[in-house]
Amino acid sequence: MKKIKSKLKHLFISINTTLAIVFMAMIIAMIEVIGAYFTRQLEQNSIESFQSSIQVPPIVTNQLSLQLLRDNKRPSASLNRIVNDYSNGTNTISEIIVVDNKDIIRAVSNLNDKSRIGQRVNNLLVKQVTSTGRQATKVINDKDNYMVQVTPLNAGNGSTNTVGAIYVRASMQGVFNNLRNISFMFLVTSLIAAVIGAILSLVVSHAITKPIEEMQGQALNIADGDYSSQVKIYSNDELGQLGQAFNTLSVRIERSQEESESEQRRLDSVLSHMSDGVLATDRHGNVSVVNQMALNFLNKTKEAIINKPIAEVLGLKEISQDLMSNQKGIVITLNEGTRDEVILHASFSLIKRVTGFVSGSVCVLHDITEQQKNENSQKQFVSNVSHELRTPLTSLHAYIETLNEGAWKDPNVAPQFLQVTQEETERMIRMINELLSLSRMDRGVSKVDVEWVNFNDFVAHILDRFDIIVKTDAKEGKKKYIISRKLGTQALWVEIDTDKMAQVIDNIMNNAIKYSPDGGTITVKLQQEQNRLLLSITDQGLGIPREDLNKIFDRFYRVDKARSRAQGGTGLGLAIAKEIVTAHRGQIWANSSEGKGSTFYIALPYEPMSEEDDWDEI
């Protein structure tokens, strides 16, 4: 039922149906107007023609007038003869009555009504004619449908003296039957014309609405993104020109859509591959566009950001409209105080139309975390260098000033002061050399000169040197310690810069010796894992606190600053070691337990050599 109602509703609101109904209504209205006018005119003409047909000829009226004047009030056979002769000569007249000017019936055509002769007539129309001398006609519509015509009888030609009147009654049944037949024929022809007009109106309306319906379908296809179909052109009239214009519009829309989609893809590609985060807002400050890098920076999903105020998204107290109007760069810190801390620089710019109306804004997020860390590191570095150089320089200045004041003459004090001066000078030279080495590594000037080395023999050779130092220190009564080797006998060939890698191992071994207790054991272990060699150096010293493990490879960082400086350390050895190992595509890290010692690990990439590779080397 609902479908039927829907179809009927669609039918009655259709242009095709509306045009057809309007055309049919116009045709029917025109037919009805013309028919009414034609029927009315036909009826009037028929009545006038019938009236003329029953008009008594003047020769008859003159005879009747003369006979009335002669006979005066006496009955006259001549009047009856004249009336009967005239009535017999006509088929339409059903009754004729002749009256004098006194309204007395003098003659009748109907033999059955002869008894009425000599009686006064009661017909008002007859009395009106005899009194006025003017002809009167009246159509009486009842079941018989007849016409009554009363003609005055005058005394002579041109005389106005009325001597009587002749009453003529004629049946109009034939006239009305003809009018009915003609009306029926007109009705039938009107219905046929209406049907033909309806068919023609449907054809014409369909011819008009078909191109419009096709254009409607094409418009719906364009709305769905289908531009392949074209409107068929049936003629070169206004509808045909409209169809051609619509096809041209469809082609242009398709081109514009393709260009828009191409620009959108290009914009999406640019946004997705940008190293900066981008947020776009509407004129109310709510986020409408966000790229993946911004999501990564903010650690949020797209659904959690879209349509949210940008101030809320960025975690700012300032409202969105203020951010859009200021257009100033601000620094935002996310996850402050944690390992995942991110520092972003947010810059804002307004999106304006030609009229100056602000339709939104764009916020660009630039990650300055490393920059800030580098700036902080540089500040810390300058502070550390200044501090590290100021301490020995202060000592040198004090000792030299004391010597200059005469202490150089004291044979007991002068050698001791000169010894301290020499040690501090050597320490500064060592620090500067290490700083220069780090600077060359940072600038990429220092390159590793690699060669194939049996790493097992290489480590053993370095440990042999430390064994000699152990024996020398034992003879001189210095700290005693034991070096335990767990190297193995397998040849492990790797590509390394022997000088730089020896510097790394020397540095770690020297630290292990410095911080190991008297009589402690330093264990050096070399093992092969899947695709790397792992060298570990373990001491039995005081250990490193857990919170300092991630910082020991930073420049100038010392766990125990006073003890390290007293032992001649610069705080740069492990930083240099990390740079060298990284240059060899390796890794270096440390594990430690306070009071139990520390273990430093060096991992280098390693690919086992086959027998064929060994043969090639030979």
Side-chain angles (χ1 to χ4, degrees):
M1 191 66 181
K2 291 183 179 180
K3 291 183 178 179
I4 295 175
K5 289 183 179 179
S6 177
K7 290 182 178 179
L8 289 174
K9 184 178 179 182
H10 176 73
L11 178 64
F12 284 108
I13 65 175
S14 171
I15 296 179
N16 191 3
T17 306
T18 304
L19 286 176
I21 293 174
V22 170
F23 287 156
M24 286 189 291
M26 291 175 61
I27 293 172
I28 293 173
M30 290 176 64
I31 291 174
E32 290 299 322
V33 171
I34 294 172
Y37 177 78
F38 173 77
T39 304
R40 180 62 180 171
Q41 288 297 112
L42 179 63
E43 181 181 0
Q44 185 177 356
N45 292 335
S46 297
I47 293 173
E48 289 177 357
S49 177
F50 185 80
Q51 181 180 354
S52 297
S53 66
I54 66 173
Q55 180 73 39
V56 180
I59 187 171
V60 177
T61 59
N62 289 334
Q63 290 177 359
L64 293 173
S65 298
L66 290 174
Q67 196 64 38
L68 284 174
L69 289 173
R70 289 174 184 174
D71 294 343
N72 199 358
K73 295 181 180 180
R74 294 174 296 175
S76 174
S78 297
L79 286 174
N80 288 326
R81 180 174 48 80
I82 294 171
V83 170
N84 289 331
D85 290 342
Y86 179 71
S87 64
N88 291 332
T90 60
N91 296 323
T92 56
I93 298 175
S94 60
E95 183 181 11
I96 298 176
I97 300 174
V98 178
V99 298
D100 58 13
N101 55 1
K102 301 297 183 181
D103 299 332
I104 303 299
I105 298 174
R106 302 295 298 277
V108 294
S109 61
N110 191 349
L111 297 176
N112 297 324
D113 292 336
K114 286 185 175 182
S115 60
R116 296 176 62 190
I117 297 174
Q119 298 179 2
R120 186 179 296 276
V121 69
N122 293 322
N123 194 303
L124 295 177
L125 191 63
V126 174
K127 293 179 178 181
Q128 176 184 348
V129 171
T130 57
S131 61
T132 62
R134 296 177 182 178
Q135 188 183 45
T137 303
K138 184 177 182 181
V139 177
I140 298 173
N141 294 319
D142 56 10
K143 62 180 180 179
D144 293 330
N145 294 325
Y146 60 91
M147 177 183 284
V148 174
Q149 186 182 75
V150 182
T151 305
L153 299 174
N154 297 322
N157 293 332
S159 176
T160 58
N161 184 19
T162 303
V163 296
I166 181 171
Y167 173 88
V168 178
R169 177 178 176 178
S171 175
M172 296 187 69
Q173 193 64 41
V175 175
F176 283 105
N177 287 337
N178 290 334
L179 289 175
R180 290 190 186 95
N181 292 333
I182 292 172
S183 298
F184 178 74
M185 291 178 62
F186 182 79
L187 178 61
V188 173
T189 55
S190 298
L191 292 175
I192 295 173
V195 172
I196 296 173
I199 296 173
L200 291 176
S201 63
L202 287 172
V203 173
V204 172
S205 63
H206 181 70
I208 294 174
T209 58
K210 185 176 181 180
I212 298 176
E213 290 175 354
E214 291 185 0
M215 283 186 278
Q216 178 189 9
Q218 176 64 7
L220 294 175
N221 292 335
I222 292 175
D224 294 335
D226 181 12
Y227 307 95
S228 59
S229 58
Q230 293 284 305
V231 176
K232 186 177 180 180
I233 307 301
Y234 295 94
S235 62
N236 198 29
D237 57 5
E238 288 81 358
L239 285 175
Q241 294 174 4
L242 179 61
Q244 292 176 355
F246 197 87
N247 290 336
T248 303
L249 178 63
S250 175
V251 172
R252 292 183 178 178
I253 291 176
E254 182 178 9
R255 292 176 181 173
S256 299
Q257 185 68 21
E258 290 177 352
E259 292 176 359
S260 177
E261 290 177 354
S262 177
E263 290 297 327
Q264 185 64 38
R265 288 193 297 270
R266 186 180 295 110
L267 177 61
D268 292 341
S269 178
V270 170
L271 289 177
S272 61
H273 291 87
M274 284 182 65
S275 59
D276 292 336
V278 177
L279 298 168
T281 70
D282 56 19
R283 63 189 183 92
H284 300 293
N286 298 325
V287 178
S288 57
V289 177
V290 59
N291 69 343
Q292 186 60 43
M293 189 56 68
L295 296 177
N296 295 340
F297 286 158
L298 301 173
N299 194 25
K300 294 182 179 179
T301 61
K302 188 174 182 180
E303 291 74 16
I305 292 178
I306 295 297
N307 297 326
K308 296 294 180 64
I310 190 170
E312 178 183 335
V313 171
L314 298 178
L316 303 175
K317 296 181 180 179
E318 193 172 6
I319 62 175
S320 302
Q321 297 296 335
D322 294 338
L323 290 175
M324 294 170 60
S325 59
N326 289 337
Q327 300 188 59
K328 295 181 180 179
I330 59 175
V331 177
I332 303 171
T333 303
L334 304 177
N335 304 321
E336 188 174 2
T338 65
R339 295 180 60 183
D340 298 328
E341 182 181 78
V342 178
I343 303 174
L344 302 175
H345 179 269
S347 57
F348 297 86
S349 60
L350 297 179
I351 302 174
K352 293 184 178 180
R353 298 178 183 173
V354 179
T355 58
F357 177 78
V358 177
S359 59
S361 68
V362 175
C363 173
V364 179
L365 302 177
H366 181 65
D367 188 1
I368 59 172
T369 305
E370 291 299 325
Q371 178 181 344
Q372 290 291 102
K373 288 182 178 180
N374 290 336
E375 290 179 358
N376 294 335
S377 298
Q378 289 177 1
K379 293 177 182 178
Q380 185 68 29
F381 177 77
V382 172
S383 175
N384 290 333
V385 170
S386 301
H387 181 74
E388 294 295 334
L389 290 177
R390 184 174 64 249
T391 301
L393 285 174
T394 301
S395 300
L396 286 174
H397 179 268
Y399 283 117
I400 292 174
E401 184 178 10
T402 303
L403 291 172
N404 191 38
E405 290 176 355
W408 62 274
K409 298 178 181 179
D410 188 342
N412 295 324
V413 175
Q416 182 181 357
F417 278 19
L418 291 174
Q419 179 66 28
V420 172
T421 303
Q422 182 180 359
E423 290 176 355
E424 292 296 332
T425 303
E426 290 175 353
R427 180 182 167 201
M428 286 191 294
I429 293 173
R430 187 166 60 252
M431 181 189 303
I432 292 172
N433 288 334
E434 290 177 349
L435 287 173
L436 291 174
S437 178
L438 282 172
S439 177
R440 287 192 294 269
M441 291 179 184
D442 291 340
R443 291 183 288 112
V445 176
S446 177
K447 298 182 180 179
V448 291
D449 186 11
V450 298
E451 59 178 318
W452 285 101
V453 175
N454 184 345
F455 200 67
N456 207 331
D457 293 343
F458 174 73
V459 175
H461 177 70
I462 295 175
L463 296 180
D464 290 342
R465 290 193 288 107
F466 278 96
D467 286 339
I468 297 174
I469 296 173
V470 170
K471 295 178 181 179
T472 303
D473 289 344
K475 292 179 180 179
E476 295 177 357
K478 297 180 180 179
K479 181 192 295 185
K480 298 179 181 179
Y481 51 90
I482 301 172
I483 299 177
S484 174
R485 305 187 185 194
K486 297 181 180 180
L487 303 179
T489 58
Q490 181 183 359
L492 303 173
W493 294 88
V494 292
E495 278 189 309
I496 60 172
D497 186 324
T498 54
D499 291 337
K500 288 184 170 55
M501 192 56 65
Q503 182 180 355
V504 172
I505 298 175
D506 284 346
N507 185 282
I508 297 175
M509 287 296 296
N510 284 324
N511 286 340
I513 293 171
K514 289 178 184 178
Y515 297 109
S516 289
D518 191 14
T521 301
I522 300 172
T523 304
V524 180
K525 183 178 180 181
L526 178 63
Q527 56 186 349
Q528 175 191 351
E529 295 186 348
Q530 292 180 350
N531 293 316
R532 67 176 184 175
L533 293 180
L534 185 62
L535 176 65
S536 61
I537 301 174
T538 305
D539 62 50
Q540 295 177 339
L542 298 176
I544 303 171
R546 182 180 298 274
E547 61 273 12
D548 294 324
L549 277 176
N550 293 327
K551 302 176 183 178
I552 59 175
F553 295 99
D554 295 344
R555 299 174 186 185
F556 293 109
Y557 187 82
R558 296 187 182 91
V559 178
D560 187 349
K561 295 179 175 56
R563 182 178 179 187
S564 297
R565 188 174 292 110
Q567 293 184 350
T570 62
L572 297 173
L574 290 178
I576 294 174
K578 182 179 180 181
E579 295 292 338
I580 293 175
V581 173
T582 302
H584 283 79
R585 296 178 293 112
Q587 293 177 313
I588 183 172
W589 70 95
N591 288 332
S592 181
S593 298
E594 288 190 76
K596 296 182 179 180
S598 305
T599 302
F600 283 81
Y601 296 93
I602 300 173
L604 296 175
Y606 171 71
E607 294 182 4
M609 300 180 65
S610 63
E611 295 181 358
E612 294 179 358
D613 294 332
D614 292 341
W615 177 260
D616 291 339
E617 289 294 327
I618 295 174

